[in-house]
Amino acid sequence: MPGNVRATDDAFAAHIEPAIAVNPLDSRNLLAVCRVFVGSDVGVAAYTSFDGGDTWQARGLLPGLVPDFDGNPTVLFDGHGRAFVCCVVATQGPPRHSDVLMWRSDDGGRGFRPPTTAIAGGTGLVDHPSLTIGMGSRPPTTHLYLAAGMYGTAADGVVVARSTDGGRTFQPPRPLDPTAGAKAIAPVAAAGPEGSLTVAYVTPSSSGGVLLKAVTSGDRGKTFTEPFTVAEVPAMAPGLGDVTAKSGPALAAAAGRGLVCVAVTVFDDATGMSRLLLATMAGSIGPAPTWSEPMTVAASDEAVYLQPQVAIGDDHRIAISVYALSLATLRMDVLLHISDPVPPTSTPPVFGPPLRVTTRAFDPRQAIDTGSTHWLGNYQGLAAAPRHVFHPIWTDTRTGRAQIFTAAVRRHRP
């Protein structure tokens, strides 16, 4: 069992929805961001580590951010070691509105440049941004892609905005599934090599369940395939009483070849069975990309799986982190499922037994009390580092309030 490190120890009342990234030029440099509570307001703060996650330093609120109802942070490094953070900057209203802003750091997260607007919501809302960075040697300028949901606008639904100048400006967002419109939610984006880009999201199905859908691009986001249904599930999570911990899909792409994987949790109310599913896409992105049939990575009628995250290591191991809520104790753990190296074929990944990441289970009912629910956030984080290391990051209440914990999980090549 890996050691757990508390990343947050500051004056904020609570911390939820963490994201984490590893500097490719210095794998000991980690940057984490999360939602923080300041009285009745919500902001976004940054935290850095320069020793591989053994210790963390608080960097405070993102510069220029005045807490209101901000959140949904996402963070990445590009190949030059520059860090980019995006988050929703929103008002509690009325009337409510929100934009997505982006900050850049050139020193590993110690300081940030003033933000730029990546997606403007106007009189509507932008929600759930997911940032990814183009890979490959051409063109030399960093391409950034930002998927998000837009609501209360003239173009509701899942969109993607593209920057071809290293994040200085973003092109207007383009709809990816106009037919689904505002019913499409929780988008996640992942860029692969040589101009490939995938966006996954969920929509309601006609049977009352949930469709996991994806669109792909092979030309750096200029054009996209028609939406493809990767899986149909009855629900991603059950109701949890006075605890809110919604689940969405998770997506990752391998840096060296055309391997993309998407994970989602499934709950069947009729059987009480919870499952963790994974679908993969291998090979080049074409006009009709081929997704595998979703495979069951884990299944249980004694625990509920929530909020998956997925990352691909440099040796093409797939790692999936997930909350596991025990129905017997109502305590929660973080589990990490790691596959064997995935061959460059359509062979399904092989996973061994899960690793329990948390050294101590915690009570989700001690999450932030909003007056109507105990809110654990809607997602957690996971990043891959060189030399077979994975860094899960999660919201944890073992201290009596919502704090962010991390771990460094090392898997040695067999």
Side-chain angles (χ1 to χ4, degrees):
M1 183 180 297
N4 292 180
V5 177
R6 178 172 160 179
T8 56
D9 187 12
D10 47 27
F12 297 120
H15 310 69
I16 63 172
E17 295 182 349
I20 189 170
V22 181
N23 188 339
L25 301 185
D26 178 6
S27 62
R28 294 173 63 81
N29 176 202
L30 311 179
L31 175 58
V33 288
C34 69
R35 213 168 192 172
V36 295
F37 288 76
V38 186
S40 60
D41 296 320
V42 188
V44 172
Y47 304 83
T48 56
S49 174
F50 292 90
D51 56 11
D54 290 340
T55 60
W56 289 83
Q57 299 82 42
R59 301 297 174 180
L61 293 169
L62 294 174
L65 193 65
V66 178
D68 194 337
F69 199 66
D70 313 318
N72 294 154
T74 177
V75 58
L76 281 177
F77 282 92
D78 70 5
H80 304 287
R82 299 175 297 198
F84 298 87
V85 173
C86 283
C87 77
V88 171
V89 177
T91 63
Q92 300 184 60
R96 291 189 62 197
H97 70 272
S98 63
D99 303 322
V100 175
L101 302 188
M102 190 178 75
W103 289 258
R104 173 178 149 181
S105 174
D106 297 330
D107 57 6
R110 294 182 179 91
F112 292 87
R113 297 187 178 189
T116 59
T117 299
I119 300 180
T123 58
L125 301 173
V126 191
D127 191 34
H128 205 287
S130 177
L131 180 68
T132 188
I133 294 179
M135 304 173 187
S137 58
R138 299 184 305 273
T141 302
T142 297
H143 275 50
L144 295 103
Y145 310 96
L146 184 64
M150 298 191 71
Y151 309 100
T153 72
D156 282 0
V158 171
V159 301
V160 66
R162 186 173 70 135
S163 172
T164 60
D165 58 10
R168 288 187 292 273
T169 61
F170 278 82
Q171 297 169 2
R174 58 176 297 175
L176 298 181
D177 191 345
T179 301
K183 294 181 179 179
I185 61 171
V188 284
E194 301 306 323
S196 63
L197 173 65
T198 303
V199 179
Y201 54 98
V202 293
T203 68
S205 70
S206 58
S207 63
V210 177
L211 298 177
L212 172 61
K213 303 174 75 173
V215 297
T216 59
S217 172
D219 56 10
R220 302 186 187 279
K222 296 178 183 177
T223 62
F224 285 86
T225 63
E226 290 296 315
F228 178 81
T229 298
V230 180
E232 181 174 2
V233 301
M236 289 183 288
L240 299 176
D242 64 349
V243 173
T244 297
K246 296 178 181 178
S247 287
L251 185 71
R257 68 165 192 259
L259 171 64
V260 182
C261 53
V262 60
V264 67
T265 55
V266 181
F267 185 78
D268 189 337
D269 191 59
T271 62
M273 184 67 68
S274 184
R275 291 185 294 154
L276 173 62
L277 299 185
L278 177 74
T280 59
M281 179 174 60
S284 60
I285 300 294
T290 302
W291 286 91
S292 70
E293 287 292 324
M295 63 174 288
T296 298
V297 177
S300 178
D301 59 1
E302 297 179 348
V304 172
Y305 300 125
L306 300 163
Q307 299 186 356
Q309 288 294 319
V310 62
I312 303 176
D314 52 5
D315 61 350
H316 296 113
R317 294 180 190 267
I318 300 172
I320 310 172
S321 64
V322 67
Y323 272 148
L325 175 65
S326 168
L327 297 178
T329 65
L330 298 182
R331 295 296 190 272
M332 191 170 279
D333 279 300
V334 175
L335 304 181
L336 188 65
H337 300 262
I338 302 177
S339 77
D340 293 341
V342 179
T345 64
S346 57
T347 305
V350 176
F351 288 86
L355 173 70
R356 181 186 172 194
V357 175
T358 34
T359 56
R360 176 180 170 186
F362 65 91
D363 185 352
R365 294 167 295 184
Q366 291 183 315
I368 185 70
D369 187 353
T370 66
S372 59
T373 186
H374 293 88
W375 191 18
L376 200 63
N378 296 338
Y379 59 86
Q380 310 307 312
L382 178 66
R387 295 182 292 277
H388 326 302
V389 179
F390 293 99
H391 292 280
I393 187 168
W394 67 96
T395 307
D396 194 307
T397 67
R398 71 181 73 180
T399 65
R401 59 193 182 104
Q403 300 283 358
I404 303 302
F405 278 73
T406 67
V409 180
R410 293 170 173 83
R411 272 291 184 263
H412 299 289
R413 190 188 300 270

